[in-house]
Amino acid sequence: MSITEERTNNVIGQRMLRREDPALLTGEAKFVNDLVIPGALHLAVLRSPYAHARIVSIDVSDAASMPGVVAVYTGKDLHSTWAAPMPCAWPVTPDMKNPAHYPLAIDKACYVGDGVAAVLATSETASRDALDAIDVVYEPLPAVIDLEDALSDRVIIHDAIGTNKSYTWNLKVESAEGAVDQAFKNAAYTVSERYIQQRLIPMAMEPRAVAAVPQPFGGDVTLYSATQVPHILKVMTAITLGIPEHQMRVVAPSVGGGFGSKLDVYAEELLCVALARKHGAPVRWVEERSENTQATIHGRGQIQNIELAADKDGKLTAVRVRLIGDMGAYLQLVTPGVPLLGAFLYGGVYHLPQAYDFSCTSVFTTMTPTDAYRGAGRPEATYAIEVAMDALARTMGIDPYELRKRNYIQKEQFYDATGNHVGYTAFHGLNYDSGDHLAAAEKAMQHANYAGIRKQQKTQNVPGARKRLGIGMTSYFEMCGLAPSRVLASLNYGAGGWESATVRVLPTSKVQVVTGTSPHGQGHETSWAMIAAEKLGVAPEDVDVLHSDTAIAPLGLDTYGSRSLAVGGVAIAGACDKVIDKARLIAAHQLECAAEDLQFDKGTFSVKGSPDKAVPIAAIAFAAFTAHNLPDGVEPNLEAQYTHDPKNFSWPFGTHICVVEIDTETGKVDVLKYVAVDDCGNQINPLIVEGQVHGGVVQGMAQALYEEAVYDKDGNLKTSNLAEYLVPAACDVPPITTDFTVTPSTTNQLGVKGIGEAGTIGAASAVMNAVIDALSGLGITKLDMPASPNNVWKAIQSVQGGK
Amino acid sequence: MIPAAFDYKRAGSADEAIALIGQYGDEAKFLAGGHSLIPLMKLRLAQPTVLVDIGRVKDLSYVKDAGDHIAIGALTRHMDVEKSPVLAQHVPLLAHAASHVGDAQVRHRGTIGGSIAHADPASDLPATTLALGATYVVQGPKGKREIAAKDFYKGFLESALAADEMLVEIKVPKMNGAGWSFQKFNRRAQDWAIVGVAAWRNNGTSGVALVNMGSTPVLASAVSTALSKGASVADAAAHAADDAEPQGDLNASVEYRTHLAKVLVRRALEEASK
């Protein structure tokens, strides 16, 4: 059953080119650093070269006297400026340890890149040169870069909390006490696996950039930032600096990607606002690329221990997970919550009884703080269950697809006994809105020629073969559309998960959509216009989308967690409904009929059964504007605001299959083919959906084959530029086949789910399963990411005795 | 990404460039395509106080047939080396190797002379010209002198160029129909090689040089010696790393790099022997 409304205008579903692209592609789009701000001072931040060191003294006198330098500040100088430490919005447990974190370190630097002093100067170059003249005396302390070493508390990073452990969070669901232990005891097959989710650097194309502009009178401040979250940033800046919230305005101009790294409140944003107020002048800061690798959050960073229990047929009977999460040196905005976002997904897309035991312990280390990175918790979970499923299939000696088929939640399980679609209530109590895993998997199998590849392997993967062939699959569920506010409350998150929209039909019938989402590459302007055009029966070109300025769109919770369409897009549809409801009253008044007797189709109200009695919404809009002849009690103007708080997460799903060939002499992995069959429900713009899948797949594949933030034992980041941190480029991307099944969501009126993170969630495990599949004939059943040539070669050497 | 302050001087000719570099001494650097120097300056790993821009010295960009060898002006861009019909005919190994340098943008800016003078062991063209037995013509205040490629590379980013000398021409012997191969092994297409091999074979003679197998480009003499004594390709390739002192880094341990050199030299010789 789908509750999708009958389409009136056929805009939804078209492959429309993105209206954002001409400005972006011609360089006309304005990013923070493009803004012309007369009289702006430039901020530069001196960063600790030590992973862990006491700050003995800072001498700024030479720097302060350099030409162009206006002021130099240390953490001590600014301590009294902060009304509160930097925010962490997700205290996941009541006893979670959260060390006070200020924009500049005061006594101690806790990672390489921790800010220790700030220079304000009249030019960017002068501010940069002055950094070299600041003399800091450090007392170096031991670095802590290993998570298990961190847990031992051998070296305490934050003296005030006395331990490196931040929290332990448990999710144990048992049908009866001891069900998990019992299941493992009775299991016909078990596997116990340990995986490392290496640290990743989000590496948005535009590094961060900030400009704070104080208004001349009254104390108002406008903060321009390359952020995903202008609304959250506004609230948090007000709280941290003690500024009345109504005096803060935050604008995110064109923003060049984020992948979660701009879902945060950063030291430099607070420094710019504080110093702009102090000096009564605009203050601008632009991050350098190498600085970005240290001063902007990292992603992933987990040690995962997962155990599966299965019966003699391979049906899962229990899952046990023990995680150690790397928080880095401090908790940023949602750092501690990231592992929790995956906590519900370690059972994968499988029918699992109530025998689930998840526990995550998170620790501080002397490395850059981690936080949400595309998928946030869910790629990690999917990786663990999907790579473990392959291990289970190997243990049982059956095909990994056969094992999955025996365990998939079946399509029928989304219906009750009388055939009503009720969704699938999982062992943990959350309801999966809709799904058909087998259909997506079958489609992927056909595209990948799974049987053909298996056959080819038999002739190709012979002893001594120079090139071995591998095929791997992943079936995933993505918990996205963050989020039902009540569920967030149960997870102790510090805000709701709603989204707001205002739809305004102007007197000349042009439409303004005001959204609380904050696009930074997703094409919201195009897609949101399509939704409003479809609902109101106008041309998409007649719809303008306003966003990312808290003065224009005051209500919103921004863009992350594949939420924008499933929450924000649905809010726009809801606002359109309210507009149509109001217009209907005016139309009924004009046509002298009852509102219930009117139908609305292709932008026109007409009397049911008398199609000649009709009035277009354009005429209604003008009538609402002149207000010459409105029904009693109806306010002038055609505008409505609607806030959508989702009843449920949305649960996109799909199957990805990867085919690789491995050169056994060099260890190099070539991806021959990648198939992604995703189901995100109804699609607003399939062109944008495909783009999201492409980008996500490449990012997930990059974790499997290329990327890793490498620290040495002293806590120095060895991959601090794009020559050393290997983000794959266009020519490194293999052919990607995208296809879709469409199982509409039943919990929102558009029938939509999210797609922003799906590729990343599916890809890393699909690629690694293919790599291990290729090598398993040599006796290799385990390989850490990234499967670099050196790592693969080493693994082959280890099983062949160095031959 | 903001370099330290420096002065900028533009030279209109080689003579002017040499005079300027002599005037400013050790702290001055030539700027050609800028694709090695500028990144180091942005990271403040290099902080020259004067840049002498030789990018507009026009008479140093050419590829000429000079009888037994091809003469290439030092300021010839990689793309012009790659696309040169003269090189395609007489030194196809060099033209092909140039097509592997960086990406298209880099190849349109970077110059062969800049790459060689920078003496980066991980760059493709120093090793390739070394394998081909090239001679470098350098010009100083007292005129020109020639340095054989095998005598040019002195250490990591160090060459036989004096501080007041400038590389002006690369003389590459014609290959006379020799079989050849260029093997570049890397993780991303546009990166420096983890290990690279430039090789040619012709009637019992051969030249093999290695990219990124030590602090300088490495001439794998032991391989050529073995071949000249009649060793098989596989046996000769086992000597690939005899003359190398590879370093370990994020992409390759010393052991792996050594192994790669042997595999790639074998593959190169197989291809060059076809």
Side-chain angles (χ1 to χ4, degrees):
Chain A
M1 182 202 74
S2 162
I3 60 162
T4 306
E5 289 204 335
E6 192 181 335
R7 292 181 183 166
T8 55
N9 203 28
N10 297 324
V11 178
I12 286 181
Q14 285 186 24
R15 301 172 66 84
M16 289 189 69
L17 292 177
R18 303 191 336 156
R19 58 173 64 179
E20 292 88 341
D21 286 343
L24 290 167
L25 295 175
T26 57
E28 289 300 316
K30 297 286 180 262
F31 296 81
V32 170
N33 202 30
D34 297 319
L35 303 175
V36 176
I37 303 173
L41 300 174
H42 292 263
L43 173 76
V45 178
L46 181 68
R47 300 185 183 281
S48 170
Y50 292 102
H52 191 194
R54 216 167 291 287
I55 300 167
V56 178
S57 64
I58 304 180
D59 181 353
V60 304
S61 52
D62 286 353
S65 62
M66 286 173 71
V69 173
V70 173
V72 184
Y73 294 100
T74 66
K76 277 197 179 117
D77 297 337
L78 294 178
H79 195 181
S80 61
T81 304
W82 319 116
M86 286 173 54
C88 171
W90 205 337
V92 294
T93 62
D95 63 348
M96 181 186 85
K97 301 286 193 296
N98 179 19
H101 179 200
Y102 291 99
L104 292 178
I106 294 165
D107 302 317
K108 224 182 172 189
C110 294
Y111 65 99
V112 173
D114 207 355
V116 296
V119 172
L120 267 192
T122 52
S123 74
E124 196 172 8
T125 47
S127 67
R128 173 64 187 83
D129 286 344
L131 293 184
D132 292 345
I134 299 174
D135 185 16
V136 185
V137 177
Y138 294 96
E139 177 196 337
L141 300 167
V144 183
I145 60 153
D146 177 273
L147 304 192
E148 282 154 341
D149 180 38
L151 265 185
S152 77
D153 282 343
R154 181 181 63 85
V155 176
I156 300 286
I157 301 164
H158 298 291
D159 304 327
I161 60 175
T163 172
N164 294 330
K165 185 179 130 176
S166 178
Y167 69 87
T168 295
W169 190 89
N170 302 312
L171 177 68
K172 193 166 188 177
V173 184
E174 293 188 314
S175 53
E177 175 103 23
V180 171
D181 290 344
Q182 198 62 36
F184 274 96
K185 211 172 128 191
N186 296 340
Y189 300 98
T190 60
V191 292
S192 177
E193 298 273 300
R194 177 185 158 98
Y195 305 126
I196 311 290
Q197 294 286 333
Q198 77 270 35
R199 270 180 174 251
L200 301 174
I201 300 176
M203 210 65 95
M205 192 176 289
E206 182 203 16
R208 291 188 293 120
V210 182
V213 182
Q215 301 306 312
F217 306 103
D220 288 7
V221 182
T222 301
L223 170 60
Y224 299 91
S225 183
T227 182
Q228 298 173 224
V229 290
H231 297 91
I232 294 173
L233 182 58
K234 183 189 70 157
V235 176
M236 292 302 182
T237 309
I239 292 172
T240 310
L241 286 162
I243 300 172
E245 187 184 344
H246 63 281
Q247 294 198 292
M248 277 302 306
R249 173 185 172 197
V250 176
V251 182
S254 287
V255 175
F259 311 118
S261 73
K262 294 171 182 169
L263 186 200
D264 230 308
V265 176
Y266 282 105
E268 296 80 8
E269 291 167 325
L270 301 169
L271 284 167
C272 282
V273 173
L275 297 178
R277 278 157 52 94
K278 203 183 260 289
H279 288 263
V283 173
R284 190 203 298 267
W285 172 81
V286 179
E287 192 175 49
E288 298 185 4
R289 175 58 68 190
S290 296
E291 194 176 25
N292 173 268
T293 65
Q294 301 180 337
T296 293
I297 62 99
H298 291 177
R300 314 283 189 265
Q302 288 183 358
I303 297 174
Q304 307 174 299
N305 291 289
I306 181 168
E307 294 170 82
L308 306 182
D311 68 13
K312 62 178 177 23
D313 299 323
K315 285 193 176 158
L316 293 177
T317 53
V319 174
R320 188 187 282 136
V321 178
R322 294 289 178 269
L323 291 189
I324 306 177
D326 178 359
M327 303 286 95
Y330 300 99
L331 302 182
Q332 284 276 347
L333 190 65
V334 298
T335 304
V338 171
L340 276 59
L341 287 171
F344 300 91
L345 292 176
Y346 282 83
V349 296
Y350 308 116
H351 180 68
L352 186 70
Q354 287 194 315
Y356 186 79
D357 180 7
F358 171 95
S359 179
C360 173
T361 295
S362 287
V363 290
F364 295 105
T365 56
T366 56
M367 297 184 281
T368 291
T370 61
D371 207 324
Y373 172 55
R374 202 170 189 175
R378 291 151 292 161
E380 296 94 310
T382 302
Y383 183 90
I385 179 65
E386 287 302 293
V387 178
M389 283 297 275
D390 269 33
L392 178 59
R394 268 193 308 277
T395 302
M396 295 177 63
I398 67 171
D399 185 271
Y401 182 39
E402 173 59 28
L403 177 67
R404 284 174 174 82
K405 280 198 282 194
R406 294 180 193 178
N407 282 282
Y408 283 143
I409 298 165
Q410 302 296 311
K411 186 182 174 186
E412 299 71 36
Q413 291 175 284
F414 289 85
Y415 294 83
D416 69 11
T418 57
N420 291 318
H421 191 285
V422 291
Y424 172 89
T425 299
F427 63 90
H428 43 54
L430 293 176
N431 184 272
Y432 301 154
D433 53 354
S434 62
D436 187 353
H437 300 291
L438 189 61
E442 281 294 311
K443 207 168 194 178
M445 288 289 150
Q446 282 162 20
H447 282 298
N449 184 23
Y450 189 80
I453 298 284
R454 286 285 181 224
K455 202 169 155 192
Q456 195 186 333
Q457 280 184 311
K458 289 202 172 73
T459 53
Q460 183 172 340
N461 291 358
V462 294
R466 187 186 282 189
K467 292 202 166 177
R468 296 184 68 90
L469 189 65
I471 185 163
M473 72 180 297
T474 278
S475 295
Y476 74 90
F477 238 146
E478 177 187 356
M479 182 178 108
C480 73
L482 304 181
S485 297
R486 287 178 180 180
V487 177
L488 290 178
S490 73
L491 295 172
N492 219 23
Y493 181 63
W498 49 263
E499 194 47 81
S500 172
T502 297
V503 171
R504 190 178 293 140
V505 187
L506 301 173
T508 59
S509 80
K510 306 296 181 194
V511 178
Q512 284 181 327
V513 170
V514 183
T515 176
T517 67
S518 192
H520 42 282
Q522 294 85 350
H524 291 180
E525 291 178 15
T526 304
S527 300
W528 291 187
M530 291 171 73
I531 293 171
E534 171 95 20
K535 292 288 293 186
L536 298 174
V538 300
E541 301 75 45
D542 288 339
V543 183
D544 193 21
V545 178
L546 307 174
H547 58 83
S548 305
D549 179 341
T550 61
I552 292 171
L555 300 176
L557 285 170
D558 308 315
T559 287
Y560 43 85
S562 302
R563 70 186 304 272
S564 293
L565 174 59
V567 190
V570 173
I572 291 163
C576 288
D577 286 337
K578 286 174 80 170
V579 164
I580 293 165
D581 286 347
K582 179 172 179 179
R584 188 187 305 274
L585 298 177
I586 300 168
H589 181 67
Q590 290 191 353
L591 296 169
E592 296 177 337
C593 67
E596 310 81 80
D597 294 338
L598 286 175
Q599 60 185 11
F600 183 64
D601 184 36
K602 295 189 174 63
T604 297
F605 290 98
S606 61
V607 179
K608 290 172 192 161
S610 310
D612 54 320
K613 285 188 74 178
V615 58
I617 198 164
I620 305 285
F622 195 72
F625 165 70
T626 62
H628 293 170
N629 181 23
L630 294 179
D632 290 343
V634 172
E635 292 173 36
N637 291 318
L638 198 48
E639 175 188 86
Q641 190 259 334
Y642 178 75
T643 302
H644 180 62
D645 194 354
K647 288 181 285 186
N648 192 356
F649 293 98
S650 88
W651 301 85
F653 61 93
T655 288
H656 289 197
I657 300 178
C658 180
V659 181
V660 301
E661 200 168 57
I662 298 179
D663 183 331
T664 56
E665 282 192 316
T666 63
K668 187 161 192 177
V669 177
D670 275 326
V671 176
L672 302 182
K673 186 170 196 173
Y674 193 95
V675 174
V677 175
D678 296 284
D679 191 324
C680 57
N682 290 334
Q683 299 181 11
I684 304 300
N685 185 335
L687 197 62
I688 288 177
V689 170
E690 285 166 23
Q692 286 283 5
V693 174
H694 290 152
V697 165
V698 174
Q699 226 158 358
M701 193 176 289
Q703 180 179 10
L705 298 178
Y706 294 100
E707 297 184 15
E708 181 176 22
V710 180
Y711 280 86
D712 69 13
K713 64 178 172 42
D714 296 322
N716 298 302
L717 180 65
K718 306 301 286 180
T719 51
S720 61
N721 60 55
L722 285 163
E724 287 155 344
Y725 187 82
L726 302 186
V727 179
C731 46
D732 305 306
V733 175
I736 299 171
T737 304
T738 52
D739 201 350
F740 300 90
T741 57
V742 177
T743 311
S745 173
T746 52
T747 58
N748 65 67
Q749 66 153 296
L750 296 173
V752 296
K753 303 184 174 185
I755 194 66
E757 296 160 300
T760 326
I761 288 170
S765 48
V767 174
M768 287 305 289
N769 279 341
V771 169
I772 295 169
D773 183 59
L775 299 174
S776 60
L778 300 175
I780 296 166
T781 54
K782 184 175 172 4
L783 191 66
D784 286 335
M785 296 185 285
S788 67
N790 198 158
N791 288 348
V792 171
W793 176 76
K794 216 168 114 187
I796 294 172
Q797 292 300 297
S798 71
V799 292
Q800 296 186 336
K803 273 186 290 183
Chain B
M1 294 294 129
I2 300 170
F6 59 88
D7 278 341
Y8 172 88
K9 302 287 177 190
R10 182 186 294 159
S13 67
D15 290 343
E16 192 185 347
I18 289 155
L20 281 166
I21 214 92
Q23 185 183 337
Y24 292 103
D26 286 354
E27 294 309 306
K29 291 284 278 183
F30 287 122
L31 174 68
H35 274 60
S36 300
L37 179 59
I38 299 286
L40 291 175
M41 289 174 65
K42 283 180 166 184
L43 294 168
R44 299 202 174 197
L45 294 173
Q47 301 196 2
T49 53
V50 180
L51 285 188
V52 177
D53 185 356
I54 54 173
R56 303 204 184 186
V57 178
K58 279 206 179 57
D59 53 359
L60 287 183
S61 176
Y62 55 81
V63 177
K64 289 178 195 159
D65 188 334
D68 63 338
H69 70 272
I70 304 299
I72 306 170
L75 287 173
T76 308
R77 302 204 191 268
H78 300 312
M79 193 58 83
D80 295 325
V81 173
E82 175 186 341
K83 301 290 186 197
S84 161
V86 176
L87 287 172
Q89 188 184 348
H90 296 293
V91 198
L93 170 57
L94 181 59
H96 180 78
S99 76
H100 283 266
V101 175
D103 55 28
Q105 283 171 302
V106 169
R107 295 197 292 278
H108 277 287
R109 292 297 304 169
T111 64
I112 184 170
S115 177
I116 288 169
H118 190 57
D120 187 338
S123 291
D124 298 319
L125 301 188
T128 303
T129 50
L130 180 62
L132 287 164
T135 301
Y136 305 144
V137 181
V138 306
Q139 186 178 338
K142 292 174 192 156
K144 290 182 181 174
R145 65 180 179 122
E146 295 195 354
I147 309 172
K150 65 180 169 52
D151 301 324
F152 185 77
Y153 300 101
K154 297 297 185 191
F156 184 68
L157 306 185
E158 278 179 43
S159 73
L161 273 172
D164 57 358
E165 282 182 321
M166 181 173 134
L167 177 61
V168 292
E169 187 178 273
I170 296 95
K171 295 162 81 166
V172 191
K174 288 184 177 176
M175 291 176 68
N176 299 320
W180 58 273
S181 177
F182 185 73
Q183 301 281 328
K184 183 171 183 176
F185 188 86
N186 52 19
R187 292 177 65 187
R188 295 182 304 185
Q190 82 275 28
D191 280 333
W192 285 280
I194 293 172
V195 176
V197 176
W200 59 269
R201 277 190 94 175
N202 203 7
N203 297 329
T205 58
S206 65
V208 180
L210 309 175
V211 180
N212 212 4
M213 281 295 290
S215 56
T216 65
V218 174
L219 193 63
S221 309
V223 175
S224 293
T225 304
L227 286 174
S228 70
K229 289 178 181 168
S232 69
V233 161
D235 289 344
H239 294 284
D242 289 5
D243 300 282
E245 288 178 13
Q247 304 283 309
D249 61 23
L250 291 175
N251 288 317
S253 64
V254 171
E255 296 72 28
Y256 178 58
R257 205 163 241 135
T258 304
H259 166 79
L260 270 184
K262 292 174 185 172
V263 171
L264 297 176
V265 165
R266 193 199 74 225
R267 289 182 183 179
L269 292 176
E270 282 167 358
E271 190 179 6
S273 304
K274 276 177 190 164

